[in-house]
Structure formats: C-alpha cells, structure tokens
Amino acid sequence: NAGVTQTPKFQVLKTGQSMTLQCAQDMNHEYMSWYRQDPGMGLRLIHYSVGAGITDQGEVPNGYNVSRSTTEDFPLRLLSAAPSQTSVYFCASSNDRASGNTIYFGEGSWLTVV
Amino acid sequence: AQSVTQLDSQVPVFEEAPVELRCNYSSSVSVYLFWYVQYPNQGLQLLLKYLSGSTLVKGINGFEAEFNKSQTSFHLRKPSVHISDTAEYFCAVSDSRTKTSYDKVIFGPGTSLSVIP
C-alpha cells in the first residue's frame, strides 16, 4: 500500500543545474499535481495533470516542466535551478476532478539550491 | 477567488488541554473546507472535510471542526491534546460549484501546534 512515492527525499543542487523529481502513485488516480511548500506560505500549486498526456500550469509554474506519459508517473523537472527554488516539494494525487475529493500527498522532497 | 487565513502561526498548548486552531476563509461562492495535518518530515494527510450537511464535522484522532457560514470560519478543535498531536495544520478551501476545481484548492499558511508535556 505505497500510495504516493517521491524520490529523492533530499537533494542539493548548484545554481544552473537541472534535475528531475520523481513521483509515482499506485492508486490509479486520475489527478496528479506538484506543490511547493515554503515557510508561512502554505502549499502552492506548480503544475497538475488531469490524466495521461494532459498537463496544465498552477500558481507558480515558472522554472518547472512536467509530463504525464502514464497514469502512475508524474515527474517534475527543474530546468536550471535557482536559489529561489529551494523548497520542499510535494507530489499529490486524487481519484477524481471533483474539488471535494481528498488529496493524497507523498512524503516530500527537500531541495536546496546553492 | 478564494483565500484562507490562519491567524495563529504557532500554538503551544499543554498536554491534555483543549485546543482551537482558527481558520477563516474568503469566498463569494459556496465552498468545500478541509483540514490537513502534516507530521514532522511527512506529507500532508486529510484530517477532516466539510462538503455539505451538518456543520459539525468529526475527523480522525478526536479532532472536529465547525463550519460557520456567517462568520466564514472553519475552526478546528480538540478537547484534550496528546504529545502525538504536535504537527503543522493546514486549512484549505475550494469552490464547490464546479467539478473541475481540483487546481483551485487553496491552502492556508499553516498553524504549528506544539504540545508541551
């Protein structure tokens, strides 16, 4: 019963480097998303996907790319890391687009950009 | 557009004492309301949610929240806290009118609850 799995849990990048945060869910959920969590700001939506092959931008998409080739996987790519992208990243999924549905979160990826 | 305010960024409380974490929202339309909890170094998990019906909602671990439409509030309460309740608590709101509002779930800034032995 894995739920939403994210890797890596911790990562340090140098400014300008690129990397991919991996996310997989085993609940056959239609919806997947990426949030970033910063102190005093709650969670902010970066990108989301309503199904395989369909993605859209959230509140803070700049500097990030996503793709959804399968129902299970939703990787987040940092194209050229900047110190402002130092944050905790959460992947999440939900089994329906209805806004009242529960969102299931991964355990988080702590990213530091130096 | 909706917004969420959590007035207390930190709430220290002694073990076995009652606690209330405050949440106010702003919206011109009907809403769904949620409380999520984040234990240290973990992701968020749903504590409880209000969709419709009774305004008093009971959740896991003895928590409950009351939806007050006139005061646009959804305060979280527990009559007696335990050390294991130490966590970050997030209030969230979404538009209940449409089926395509997944991306419109708005989270508050969070309240850090510290239970003191």
Side-chain angles (χ1 to χ4, degrees):
Chain A
N1 192 6
V4 180
T5 304
Q6 292 179 233
T7 55
K9 195 168 180 71
F10 300 98
Q11 183 72 49
V12 179
L13 285 179
K14 293 182 179 179
T15 297
Q17 286 185 317
S18 62
M19 77 158 297
T20 299
L21 299 177
Q22 301 292 343
C23 176
Q25 53 92 6
D26 62 0
M27 297 174 281
N28 200 32
H29 283 174
E30 182 180 357
Y31 265 63
M32 295 187 74
S33 55
W34 278 100
Y35 292 85
R36 58 177 290 172
Q37 181 183 26
D38 301 292
M41 301 188 73
L43 275 75
R44 292 182 292 169
L45 184 65
I46 304 171
H47 284 287
Y48 66 99
S49 169
V50 303
I54 307 170
T55 64
D56 206 346
Q57 297 181 349
E59 181 184 356
V60 288
N62 293 339
Y64 307 95
N65 269 358
V66 292
S67 60
R68 183 95 179 270
S69 57
T70 66
T71 300
E72 295 79 19
D73 300 303
F74 191 47
L76 177 73
R77 297 182 187 85
L78 279 70
L79 308 173
S80 177
S84 61
Q85 293 179 302
T86 293
S87 187
V88 184
Y89 291 85
F90 289 97
C91 181
S93 72
S94 177
N95 66 355
D96 190 82
R97 61 177 55 197
S99 61
N101 276 291
T102 300
I103 302 173
Y104 295 85
F105 290 87
E107 294 195 339
S109 296
W110 275 254
L111 176 66
T112 301
V113 182
V114 298
Chain B
Q2 291 84 39
S3 65
V4 179
T5 302
Q6 293 181 248
L7 294 172
D8 306 304
S9 60
Q10 296 184 340
V11 174
V13 62
F14 286 103
E15 193 173 16
E16 297 184 4
V19 69
E20 178 179 83
L21 305 183
R22 295 181 292 170
C23 172
N24 287 88
Y25 68 93
S26 173
S27 178
S28 59
V29 299
S30 59
V31 296
Y32 295 142
L33 292 157
F34 310 80
W35 276 99
Y36 283 84
V37 59
Q38 183 183 27
Y39 297 107
N41 299 318
Q42 294 186 25
L44 284 72
Q45 58 181 280
L46 183 70
L47 201 54
L48 50 81
K49 62 182 175 181
Y50 170 79
L51 302 183
S52 64
S54 173
T55 57
L56 183 63
V57 181
K58 295 187 183 297
I60 61 172
N61 300 337
F63 283 93
E64 63 180 32
E66 186 158 18
F67 170 51
N68 189 318
K69 187 175 182 179
S70 62
Q71 297 186 5
T72 61
S73 68
F74 191 54
H75 301 332
L76 181 69
R77 303 185 184 97
K78 186 170 182 178
S80 176
V81 296
H82 190 267
I83 294 291
S84 59
D85 293 323
T86 294
E88 190 87 12
Y89 292 80
F90 292 91
C91 184
V93 63
S94 68
D95 184 344
S96 69
R97 297 174 304 165
T98 174
K99 295 294 186 185
T100 59
S101 299
Y102 177 86
D103 56 309
K104 301 298 189 293
V105 178
I106 305 300
F107 287 85
T111 296
S112 178
L113 175 64
S114 297
V115 180
I116 305 164

